[in-house]
Amino acid sequence: EGIAAMSLFVGLENSGRELGIDSIQENAWAYRGPRFDEDFTRYLAQSPEDVIAEKLPWPGIFVGFPSSKDPAWEEDFPGKSSVT
């Protein structure tokens, strides 16, 4: 038994500079509320049936911009950027 996670990698058709994300070097977590520890604990304690029934909302998401952190990105993938 364990925790499952899913990542979505999105390729964008504009450069980081064009999108205004070229200087973002940090990853971020966005939470629904101020008690994220309690929210995640409650969410993860649900039965599979309750998760499928969407009894509780997902408590947070991770956001990162890998293309902004890669110094060779613009050379390797001109006019494109990425978000996770």
Side-chain angles (χ1 to χ4, degrees), residues 1-2 7-8 13-15 18-19 22 28 32 41-42 47 52 54-58 64-66 68 72 75 81:
E1 191 171 311
S7 295
L8 176 65
E13 289 294 332
N14 295 89
S15 72
E18 292 169 318
L19 296 171
D22 58 321
R32 274 192 171 282
T41 299
R42 256 184 321 159
S47 69
I52 292 167
E54 299 181 32
K55 299 263 179 152
L56 293 173
W58 182 247
F65 299 94
S68 297
E75 182 180 319
S81 55

Side-chain angles (χ1 to χ4, degrees), residues 23-68:
S23 62
I24 299 174
Q25 297 295 306
E26 300 84 17
N27 295 325
W29 278 94
Y31 301 110
R32 274 192 171 282
R35 297 186 180 105
F36 57 89
D37 286 339
E38 293 172 23
D39 292 344
F40 269 100
T41 299
R42 256 184 321 159
Y43 186 86
L44 296 173
Q46 294 182 99
S47 69
E49 295 78 21
D50 286 346
V51 172
I52 292 167
E54 299 181 32
K55 299 263 179 152
L56 293 173
W58 182 247
I61 61 168
F62 169 84
V63 180
F65 299 94
S67 56
S68 297

